[in-house]
Amino acid sequence: MQLSTYFLSLQNPPSLSYRHRLCHHSLSKRPFRHKLICSLANSADQRSSELVTTLQSETLKTLEWPSLCNYLSPFTSTSMAFSLTKAAAIPVGQSREESQKLLDQTTSALHALEALKSEPLDLSVIEDVSEILHSAASGQVLTVRELCRVRRMLGAARAVSEKLAAIAEGGSLERYTPLLEILQGCNFQLELERKIGFCIDCSLSTILGRASEELELIREERKRNMENLDSLLKEVSVSIFQAGGIDKPLITKRRSRMCVGVKATHKYLLPGGVVLNVSSSGATYFMEPKEAVELNNMEVKLSNSEKAEEMAILSLLTSEIAESEAEIKYLLDRLIEVDLAFARAAYAQWVNGVCPILSSKESEMLISNGADNALSIDIEGMQHPLLLGSFLSNSTDFITSNSMGPSVLGNKSGEMTPIKSSKVVSNFPIPIDIKVQCGTRVVIISGPNTGGKTASMKTLGLASIMSKAGMYLPAKKQPRLPWFDLVLADIGDSQSLEQSLSTFSGHISQICEILEVASKESLVLIDEIGSGTDPSEGVALSTSILQYLKNRVNLAFVTTHYADLSRLKEMDPQYENAAMEFSLETLQPTYQILWGRTGDSNALTIAKSIGFDGNIIERAKMWVESLMPEKQQERKVVLQQSLMEERNRLEAQFKRAESLHAEIMKLYHEVRSEAENLEERERALRVKETQKVEQELNAAKSQIETVVQEFENQLQTANSEEFNSLVKKSESAINSILKAHQPGDSFSFTETDTSSYQPVSGEQVHLKGLGNKLATVVAASEDDDTVLVQYGKIRVRVEKSNVRPISSSQRNNVISSRQSFERQGEQSREVPSNSDATESGAITYGPLIQTSKNTVDLRGMRVEEAEIQLDMAISARGSNSVLFIVHGMGTGVIKERALEMLRNHPRVMKYEQENPLNYGCTVAYIK
């Protein structure tokens, strides 16, 4: 087989030298491979890997890590990354450096999503070709479609790399370096991609003749042979038809040979012919003429040769893919990392996540030496990721509309569309603060049942795993926590009837295994330690376990109802107490952690709220007082309640002040941004008007030239009597053109007219300083020669000499419009609305200043589209805010529908219709 020259040149691509180097250095320089959390620490030589794997698997199930990964799966684009998230097999760093690298990749992907808003990165075209690679490596010849799939994957991978490199060149290179490093060193198999494209037309799934010289020769010879055979059969079929041997000429194929149709009664017309087939009725024979036997034999031979040559080309391309199997698999792994990085970034936007800081032992020592109250764990406002995900998926249509696996993030083409941050403001789930001082090794949480102890402990466990996996945390500010090599949990009922284990035995067995594998960098979570047995023995065993953990782990979180365990802090500063807050007024938990405090179980209070008999409760209180070492002081309870009330009041004031400050700063930046862009918009408008004038001037010139040309043409054939009429006709046409393009009477005012002109409030005027733009007079000053006018959203005081009245025709239009607005305002006041009920309320709204952020423009839309846009705008606004609805004048259909929606919408407290100073705009007050 002789291949074409270009194909032969592709057999020894320059990348062979790279592959040769890769084979020698792949073992030493291959980047790290992430594994699951069940990775072993280097210093844990004495621990059993099987036990660690089992404990980690149980911990992941206990903390519901697979459910959290399911919330990540809708953000993936490739089927491979989607499968990993569904199986909870996403990469988790084996060391602090690897976890930090994953966090850096997430941060870089966030920058890329912001930069790629106009042209989203399309990762959905990355196909999973691992099965194809396995088939090629096992010796199976790949089909044309399989080869084309490999080619498409290579091309898509190269396009992703080039697009990331392009945005890195256009912005800050440091921002995108973590993403670029993922694909650094990958061989995109450009030569292999070109080979497949040179040999195969993937749009038609056919092998091209240029793939080899022999295939090209075979196809040319076959084409000539088929032309000769077709010509011969046409002559024979026509002669049979003319002799009455067939109703119409028929050429067909039977048993892979070309033949003609002939009636059974006229078989004699083909002497020496071969009968290949007979019709079902037996009336028609399909015969091969004697003259066509050799040509048919040649066709069969050439067809077999062509198939053999095509199979040889497919085998050659398959062998090329088999040789590059390891490199292509490595490229697929890196592309999955890129997809997961973008998925983590999109998830971070969805939950308004922040990047955690992973502290090391060295940094923890430096922090503790620099401050008395330094924190090793500082997480503020952390929301439980699973509860938050459930709330967001129910409050938005994102998850439900994007739950079909890969390519779920955006449009129908599968492109990855940046996901905007979730702006849903809610107190659910209630955020908690986790603050552990440096040097603390055991945290003991006490408090009532259903108070949130277990949920808070699970929140810390998930935060640790998420930070190791490179995921942002749904918290405030920038959380800080150590990197834990293992997260080990004993939460829930460990009873096992099969293994003859009671609840207590199950817990103790689990804790025993945890103590066996825990290290100095581990996080241990134990729920209800020492419960299920005699209280005195439970306290003694729990104390011994905590003293053992204190010297063996980085941090241990335990929950308990044993008050004696809270006294360990008095003997050793490495212990810390925390309590779950319980409101004695509502008899309900607040789910807030009170650090440095001990909590009561409040069992009697909860029992009373449920409806227990009062006599039983009173007897129980007497028993409690008799069993306690010293009676509780009523003063302590009163003092505690007063302190909690004072703290709540101060927190409410602080949140209110913080909210007002944030709202004012946001409004300030919006107004400042629009003011800075005013000059640019004015310059663009002036350029647009200049272009319009030039277009009108050119149009006038063109019309005059047309009139002159017609005049000259008619003058050549006209006599002396028609000359005068032609001149008058042409002059009249030119005057009409000039009159049509003359400026209006708004430019006819003289300086004398404007010097005596006194503007009136609400009147429309022209501003000379803004290119005669139309503005509205707000107030005219009697003391000086200035007037306050409003242009768009800007109010400014200008001199009266810079104000020019509008023309009479324009003034009449404005007056009539104003009267219609006043009539509409009177009608709107007559129509009852939900605003009457709140006129005297104490609700305060934000500043009544129109910006681009609090404005929705419905002009130019259909009624259905306007309904959707207005409903989305109302839903997106925060509580106690205003919304400007610009519906314009037009036919009034949009305006009528908008007012109807405002009257009936549950979030609209009241609304104010347009006025002469704000035409075509209605202001809605949102609850």
Side-chain angles (χ1 to χ4, degrees):
M1 178 180 66
Q2 293 181 351
L3 300 179
S4 46
T5 306
Y6 178 78
F7 189 84
L8 286 171
S9 67
L10 293 179
Q11 285 186 317
N12 298 300
S15 61
L16 286 177
S17 59
Y18 167 78
R19 292 202 294 266
H20 180 74
R21 294 194 303 271
L22 183 63
C23 292
H24 285 79
H25 301 288
S26 60
L27 294 178
S28 60
K29 295 187 177 182
R30 184 177 295 274
F32 68 88
R33 282 186 173 273
H34 305 296
K35 297 182 179 178
L36 293 179
I37 274 190
C38 59
S39 57
L40 303 178
N42 295 330
S43 60
D45 296 335
Q46 299 177 356
R47 291 178 293 173
S48 169
S49 60
E50 294 182 359
L51 180 58
V52 171
T53 303
T54 302
L55 289 176
Q56 282 291 269
S57 178
E58 293 176 356
T59 298
L60 292 177
K61 291 180 181 179
T62 299
L63 298 179
E64 299 178 84
W65 174 249
S67 300
L68 180 60
C69 292
N70 282 336
Y71 284 120
L72 187 64
S73 60
F75 299 97
T76 58
S77 297
T78 64
S79 60
M80 299 165 286
F82 181 79
S83 300
L84 288 178
T85 54
K86 280 296 183 182
I90 63 175
V92 178
Q94 293 179 277
S95 63
R96 178 185 175 277
E97 291 72 21
E98 291 182 8
S99 296
Q100 186 61 52
K101 192 170 186 177
L102 290 173
L103 287 171
D104 294 341
Q105 292 174 3
T106 305
T107 304
S108 182
L110 276 170
H111 294 311
L113 285 178
E114 186 69 23
L116 292 170
K117 281 185 177 179
S118 58
E119 298 180 3
L121 187 66
D122 188 7
L123 289 171
S124 62
V125 294
I126 305 295
E127 300 183 49
D128 185 4
V129 296
S130 55
E131 292 295 329
I132 298 177
L133 296 177
H134 178 72
S135 298
S138 62
Q140 299 181 20
V141 178
L142 301 181
T143 63
V144 171
R145 295 183 182 275
E146 290 174 336
L147 290 170
C148 289
R149 285 185 61 189
V150 174
R151 178 175 179 267
R152 285 195 300 269
M153 188 280 296
L154 294 175
R158 178 170 45 82
V160 169
S161 177
E162 291 174 354
K163 196 161 190 176
L164 291 178
I167 63 172
E169 292 177 359
S172 175
L173 182 60
E174 296 180 356
R175 285 187 170 188
Y176 308 105
T177 299
L179 274 181
L180 296 176
E181 287 179 348
I182 298 177
L183 297 177
Q184 187 176 7
C186 290
N187 185 357
F188 293 95
Q189 301 293 332
L190 181 59
E191 298 299 331
L192 177 59
E193 179 189 350
R194 290 177 180 173
K195 282 184 184 181
I196 299 175
F198 180 78
C199 298
I200 298 176
D201 184 353
C202 289
S203 60
L204 300 177
S205 298
T206 58
I207 300 177
L208 299 174
R210 65 188 182 186
S212 72
E213 295 177 0
E214 188 171 348
L215 179 62
E216 192 171 10
L217 292 174
I218 291 173
R219 288 183 174 177
E220 290 177 356
E221 181 65 23
R222 187 182 179 188
K223 181 180 179 182
R224 288 193 297 269
N225 184 72
M226 281 298 299
E227 290 175 352
N228 295 335
L229 180 58
D230 186 61
S231 176
L232 173 63
L233 294 178
K234 283 182 179 179
E235 293 177 2
V236 174
S237 62
V238 170
S239 65
I240 294 173
F241 170 71
Q242 292 174 350
I246 195 72
D247 294 335
K248 61 179 180 180
L250 176 61
I251 300 175
T252 184
K253 195 172 187 178
R254 291 291 186 275
R255 293 162 57 181
S256 301
R257 301 178 74 85
M258 301 299 295
C259 57
V260 296
V262 61
K263 293 180 180 179
T265 57
H266 291 70
K267 178 182 176 182
Y268 63 87
L269 294 175
L270 294 176
V274 180
V275 178
L276 298 178
N277 203 351
V278 182
S279 65
S280 59
S281 63
T284 304
Y285 281 11
F286 300 100
M287 298 183 64
E288 179 184 10
K290 181 176 63 175
E291 298 82 0
V293 173
E294 290 297 329
L295 294 175
N296 265 327
N297 291 339
M298 180 60 69
E299 167 63 18
V300 173
K301 179 181 178 182
L302 293 175
S303 177
N304 293 334
S305 299
E306 182 181 8
K307 291 179 180 178
E309 187 66 17
E310 289 178 347
M311 185 59 66
I313 293 172
L314 294 178
S315 299
L316 183 59
L317 293 175
T318 300
S319 64
E320 290 284 336
I321 292 178
E323 292 177 3
S324 306
E325 177 196 12
E327 297 174 14
I328 299 177
K329 283 187 176 179
Y330 179 78
L331 176 61
L332 280 176
D333 290 342
R334 303 288 78 77
L335 291 172
I336 294 174
E337 286 189 29
V338 174
D339 189 12
L340 289 175
F342 277 101
R344 295 194 300 269
Y347 174 82
Q349 289 182 327
W350 188 50
V351 300
N352 290 327
V354 291
C355 182
I357 298 177
L358 296 177
S359 60
S360 60
K361 289 186 177 180
E362 293 77 9
S363 61
E364 184 177 338
M365 292 177 61
L366 292 175
I367 294 174
S368 60
N369 293 333
D372 295 335
N373 297 322
L375 302 175
S376 62
I377 297 181
D378 186 6
I379 304 177
E380 182 175 341
M382 176 78 178
Q383 293 177 292
H384 194 289
L386 290 177
L387 298 178
L388 178 62
S390 176
F391 171 77
L392 293 178
S393 62
N394 292 330
S395 60
T396 65
D397 59 350
F398 176 78
I399 292 295
T400 56
S401 62
N402 295 296
S403 58
M404 297 184 298
S407 307
V408 296
L409 277 188
N411 50 41
K412 295 180 180 179
S413 62
E415 293 181 346
M416 179 184 293
T417 304
I419 304 300
K420 295 183 178 180
S421 300
S422 173
K423 299 301 182 186
V424 180
V425 179
S426 174
N427 292 328
F428 183 83
I430 297 176
I432 63 173
D433 298 337
I434 303 177
K435 299 179 181 292
V436 181
Q437 293 185 0
C438 294
T440 299
R441 291 293 173 258
V442 177
V443 175
I444 302 171
I445 305 179
S446 57
N449 292 314
T450 69
K453 299 190 300 298
T454 304
S456 301
M457 189 164 54
K458 285 186 175 182
T459 301
L460 175 61
L462 283 176
S464 303
I465 301 175
M466 290 174 68
S467 60
K468 291 182 65 176
M471 298 176 65
Y472 279 25
L473 305 182
K476 299 177 181 178
K477 298 183 179 179
Q478 194 165 27
R480 174 190 296 274
L481 71 164
W483 183 88
F484 300 106
D485 63 343
L486 293 175
V487 179
L488 305 168
D490 174 41
I491 301 174
D493 190 0
S494 300
Q495 185 185 61
S496 175
L497 298 179
E498 293 180 357
Q499 301 179 12
S500 300
L501 291 177
S502 64
T503 300
F504 176 76
S505 300
H507 279 298
I508 292 301
S509 299
Q510 184 84 353
I511 294 174
C512 180
E513 293 175 348
I514 289 175
L515 297 179
E516 182 179 347
V517 300
S519 71
K520 282 286 188 179
E521 295 183 353
S522 299
L523 170 65
V524 175
L525 308 173
I526 303 177
D527 189 26
E528 299 294 349
I529 186 172
S531 62
T533 186
D534 180 81
S536 59
E537 292 184 355
V539 170
L541 182 60
S542 300
T543 303
S544 180
I545 292 174
L546 294 182
Q547 289 179 348
Y548 181 83
L549 285 173
K550 177 189 65 174
N551 301 319
R552 297 293 297 272
V553 299
N554 188 316
L555 182 65
F557 254 66
V558 299
T559 65
T560 184
H561 286 287
Y562 295 145
D564 292 337
L565 296 182
S566 301
R567 300 190 182 97
L568 293 175
K569 182 182 178 180
E570 301 174 1
M571 299 179 290
D572 193 336
Q574 294 185 87
Y575 293 92
E576 179 60 82
N577 290 328
M580 302 307 299
E581 185 179 29
F582 186 85
S583 174
L584 296 177
E585 296 178 357
T586 62
L587 300 179
Q588 294 293 330
T590 64
Y591 303 105
Q592 295 294 329
I593 302 179
L594 304 177
W595 293 94
R597 301 272 296 277
T598 58
D600 297 327
S601 296
N602 292 301
L604 301 182
T605 305
I606 296 175
K608 183 178 180 181
S609 65
I610 293 176
F612 254 79
D613 185 88
N615 295 327
I616 298 177
I617 301 297
E618 291 299 326
R619 292 193 189 98
K621 288 182 179 180
M622 294 173 60
W623 276 103
V624 169
E625 292 179 358
S626 63
L627 293 174
M628 293 181 62
E630 53 186 19
K631 295 184 178 181
Q632 294 181 348
Q633 300 292 331
E634 184 178 358
R635 182 178 58 83
K636 177 181 178 181
V637 177
V638 175
L639 178 61
Q640 180 180 356
Q641 291 182 353
S642 62
L643 290 176
M644 291 177 63
E645 292 175 357
E646 181 67 15
R647 189 202 66 175
N648 294 335
R649 185 181 64 82
L650 294 177
E651 285 183 353
Q653 292 180 356
F654 172 76
K655 290 180 180 178
R656 177 61 179 167
E658 190 178 36
S659 175
L660 290 175
H661 178 265
E663 185 177 358
I664 293 173
M665 292 303 298
K666 179 182 179 182
L667 183 61
Y668 166 74
H669 289 300
E670 290 180 8
V671 174
R672 181 178 179 181
S673 175
E674 294 189 5
E676 291 176 351
N677 296 333
L678 180 60
E679 184 178 353
E680 182 178 350
R681 294 201 301 268
E682 178 185 354
R683 183 164 54 253
L685 185 60
R686 186 168 298 178
V687 171
K688 183 177 180 181
E689 291 183 352
T690 303
Q691 293 176 352
K692 184 177 180 181
V693 172
E694 292 179 352
Q695 291 176 357
E696 293 183 357
L697 181 60
N698 294 333
K701 288 182 178 180
S702 176
Q703 294 174 3
I704 293 174
E705 290 177 357
T706 302
V707 172
V708 172
Q709 184 64 34
E710 291 179 356
F711 173 75
E712 292 178 350
N713 294 337
Q714 295 175 1
L715 188 62
Q716 294 177 358
T717 59
N719 52 34
S720 59
E721 296 177 356
E722 298 175 347
F723 178 76
N724 291 331
S725 62
L726 289 176
V727 171
K728 292 181 179 179
K729 181 180 179 182
S730 301
E731 288 179 349
S732 176
I734 292 175
N735 288 333
S736 299
I737 295 172
L738 294 177
K739 185 177 181 181
H741 292 280
Q742 282 182 350
D745 57 355
S746 60
F747 296 91
S748 60
F749 290 95
T750 61
E751 294 295 331
T752 306
D753 297 328
T754 58
S755 60
S756 60
Y757 170 66
Q758 293 294 331
V760 182
S761 177
E763 184 180 3
Q764 300 286 314
V765 296
H766 289 291
L767 297 180
K768 296 182 180 179
L770 291 178
N772 290 321
K773 296 296 183 298
L774 195 65
T776 303
V777 177
V778 178
S781 177
E782 299 179 357
D783 300 335
D784 53 10
D785 293 333
T786 61
V787 60
L788 180 63
V789 298
Q790 179 172 348
Y791 172 64
K793 304 170 186 175
I794 306 300
R795 289 190 178 187
V796 63
R797 186 170 293 278
V798 298
E799 296 182 357
K800 292 182 178 180
S801 58
N802 291 329
V803 175
R804 186 168 52 77
I806 62 177
S807 63
S808 58
S809 60
Q810 290 178 319
R811 184 181 297 109
N812 292 334
N813 293 335
V814 171
I815 293 174
S816 62
S817 300
R818 186 185 308 168
Q819 292 174 353
S820 64
F821 291 152
E822 291 174 355
R823 288 195 299 271
Q824 294 176 0
E826 293 174 358
Q827 294 174 1
S828 65
R829 286 190 292 270
E830 294 173 359
V831 176
S833 66
N834 55 3
S835 62
D836 299 336
T838 58
E839 284 295 328
S840 60
I843 300 177
T844 59
Y845 297 89
L848 195 62
I849 300 178
Q850 184 178 2
T851 66
S852 59
K853 299 297 179 63
N854 61 4
T855 302
V856 55
D857 195 345
L858 307 179
R859 293 177 294 183
M861 299 182 182
R862 295 181 180 272
V863 176
E864 296 79 5
E865 184 181 359
E867 289 178 359
I868 296 174
Q869 292 295 330
L870 179 56
D871 185 66
M872 292 174 60
I874 294 175
S875 300
R877 294 298 298 167
S879 301
N880 301 333
S881 61
V882 295
L883 177 65
F884 291 82
I885 301 99
V886 181
H887 44 66
M889 298 297 296
T891 61
V893 178
I894 298 296
K895 173 185 173 182
E896 292 177 1
R897 181 55 185 153
L899 294 179
E900 182 181 355
M901 290 184 64
L902 294 178
R903 282 194 295 268
N904 300 326
H905 202 286
R907 289 203 64 201
V908 177
M909 176 68 70
K910 62 179 180 177
Y911 61 89
E912 296 178 357
Q913 294 193 32
E914 55 194 358
N915 55 67
L917 300 182
N918 202 11
Y919 291 131
C921 181
T922 297
V923 182
Y925 295 83
I926 310 301
K927 295 180 182 179

